[in-house]
Amino acid sequence: MSFIRGYDQENLRELVDLSECAMRLEEIEGQRSLPALLERVWLLKVLGRLDEALTLADEAVRQARMAGTRKDLLRARVLHATIQQYRGQHAAADQELAMCAEEAEGQGWISIAAFAHQHHGKNAFDAEDYDTARESFKRSLFLRREAGAADSDLETVLLAIDATERRRTSQLVAG
């Protein structure tokens, strides 16, 4: 079940029903599996509980490193980096997301690479580095097309590219 109802056109963040997310978090609070940990991290993130999210993200990365696959570890690292992004730690998030995207592409894991590039773009967008954001979103779009992604997945990236172009143009006009 997806809790994402869309994306904010101004900051590219997920639009969610906060009460649904809080109820789901309560439902899975005691679960220790890696998928449950990752879901809990994401729920804490969208609920704005970033300190808790970071602590749990660290735990998820450790668990993935110890007992998961390399793909699991990449997913956990991407999610961890998004917490850093939300906390304003853009340089750390940038480095982690770039490494995850590179590793996923090197392994031929196109969907994970596209996911990492998408979040790399979102981090750059937050940091007002619109050139990097545009490059990352375009790479994500290319990879998603290559993987045969659904139109809704492509639309999300196209909206991000459009928002980036608007911001970039405004920045150029103002600067």
Side-chain angles (χ1 to χ4, degrees):
M1 171 179 183
S2 178
F3 293 97
I4 301 172
R5 304 289 182 245
Y7 294 88
D8 186 295
Q9 293 287 325
E10 292 303 310
N11 63 19
L12 304 181
R13 298 210 174 162
E14 299 96 336
L15 297 174
V16 298
D17 181 317
L18 296 176
S19 61
E20 279 183 12
C21 290
M23 286 182 354
R24 178 62 180 161
L25 181 60
E26 198 172 299
E27 276 177 37
I28 64 171
E29 193 66 37
Q31 296 181 18
R32 306 302 299 165
S33 70
L34 183 58
L37 280 177
L38 295 174
E39 184 177 0
R40 287 170 51 206
V41 170
W42 183 82
L43 290 165
L44 288 166
K45 178 181 83 169
V46 298
L47 290 169
R49 295 165 55 183
L50 300 180
D51 291 340
E52 293 170 80
L54 185 61
T55 299
L56 201 57
D58 288 338
E59 184 180 330
V61 168
R62 277 192 304 278
Q63 184 172 328
R65 191 168 276 128
M66 300 284 289
T69 66
R70 287 178 65 195
K71 287 181 179 182
D72 291 335
L73 179 56
L74 281 174
R75 288 183 193 103
R77 287 172 54 204
V78 168
L79 186 56
H80 184 273
T82 68
I83 305 303
Q84 293 174 314
Q85 170 199 342
Y86 272 50
R87 291 170 54 97
Q89 299 167 322
H90 298 292
D94 177 79
Q95 181 179 3
E96 187 70 12
L97 291 165
M99 288 180 358
C100 289
E102 183 179 327
E103 182 176 341
E105 281 196 67
Q107 293 298 321
W109 300 329
I110 295 172
S111 63
I112 297 173
F115 181 68
H117 279 291
Q118 177 89 10
H119 284 289
H120 188 257
K122 286 181 173 187
N123 180 64
F125 186 90
D126 268 8
E128 299 182 0
D129 180 356
Y130 301 118
D131 290 333
T132 298
R134 183 179 60 178
E135 286 176 31
S136 294
F137 290 139
K138 286 185 175 185
R139 185 69 185 149
S140 179
L141 179 63
F142 172 81
L143 291 169
R144 288 178 194 270
R145 282 185 175 149
E146 185 178 317
D151 287 346
S152 59
D153 290 333
L154 298 178
E155 183 179 333
T156 300
V157 181
L158 291 169
L159 290 172
I161 291 170
D162 185 53
T164 302
E165 288 298 334
R166 283 194 315 273
R167 286 280 181 91
R168 193 170 165 271
T169 301
S170 295
Q171 192 179 52
L172 291 172
V173 169

